[in-house]
Amino acid sequence: MKKIKTTLFVAILGLVIITSCDLKSSQNNNTSDEKIEIEFIKEGDLSLKNNDSIIKNVEIEIANTESKRQIGLMNRSQMDEDKGMLFVFDEDNSTGFWMKDTRIPLDIIFVGADSTVINVQKNAKPYDRTNYPATAPYRYVLEVNGGSADKWGVEEGITKLNWKLDN
């Protein structure tokens, strides 16, 4: 009987130790539901112009690699009015954009190789998996807060973008 009690005690002690280690490990791995938050990093300045008149100056982040373009403005809870992200492609593109894991409404401004706005997807909805297409091949895309394109007077076929990268 004493041997059974000792064996049972050792087994329970082992389970307590394993459970304790497992709890400690999960706490260190941050398995909580906390959301990642990405901060804006200014990489350049962009001007939107209608007929050579500046309608808005915006600080921009650049998404010029496949991985940066895939992440885009995901994991951001807010963005200041004078900020945006410029997606730069090496050649003309026709793939649409979507809002998977994007928390804030955006205006998606499709821009041709000549820097002229092709079309604007206004107020794209957060987390929406709809494929928002351009109406023609584009080389650049500017994402800004939803409603900004109307507020600033962005016009398809008229508004041009001009940007300079920080060194």
Side-chain angles (χ1 to χ4, degrees), residues 22-74:
D22 193 37
L23 284 173
K24 206 174 222 182
S25 173
S26 69
Q27 288 172 349
N28 290 338
N29 288 334
N30 192 17
T31 58
S32 71
D33 289 334
E34 285 184 37
K35 290 183 178 181
I36 296 170
E37 186 70 33
I38 298 176
E39 295 294 321
F40 181 86
I41 298 172
K42 181 181 180 281
E43 296 177 283
D45 293 292
L46 180 141
S47 297
L48 293 104
K49 296 180 179 182
N50 286 348
N51 303 316
D52 294 325
S53 293
I54 295 175
I55 59 173
K56 185 68 177 176
N57 289 314
V58 179
E59 293 179 355
I60 53 172
E61 281 188 73
I62 304 295
N64 58 357
T65 66
E66 188 62 32
S67 62
K68 286 181 180 180
R69 288 189 290 261
Q70 285 178 359
I71 295 169
L73 289 172
M74 291 179 178

Side-chain angles (χ1 to χ4, degrees), residues 46-113:
L46 180 141
S47 297
L48 293 104
K49 296 180 179 182
N50 286 348
N51 303 316
D52 294 325
S53 293
I54 295 175
I55 59 173
K56 185 68 177 176
N57 289 314
V58 179
E59 293 179 355
I60 53 172
E61 281 188 73
I62 304 295
N64 58 357
T65 66
E66 188 62 32
S67 62
K68 286 181 180 180
R69 288 189 290 261
Q70 285 178 359
I71 295 169
L73 289 172
M74 291 179 178
N75 300 314
R76 303 182 192 222
S77 298
Q78 61 89 29
M79 184 169 60
D80 292 344
E81 179 184 320
D82 64 340
K83 295 184 175 25
M85 179 171 279
L86 182 66
F87 294 75
V88 178
F89 296 87
D90 295 328
E91 53 191 40
D92 284 350
N93 201 319
S94 58
T95 306
F97 272 52
W98 66 345
M99 298 287 289
K100 180 182 177 283
D101 297 327
T102 304
R103 300 176 191 156
I104 55 177
L106 298 173
D107 284 350
I108 304 170
I109 304 171
F110 295 95
V111 181

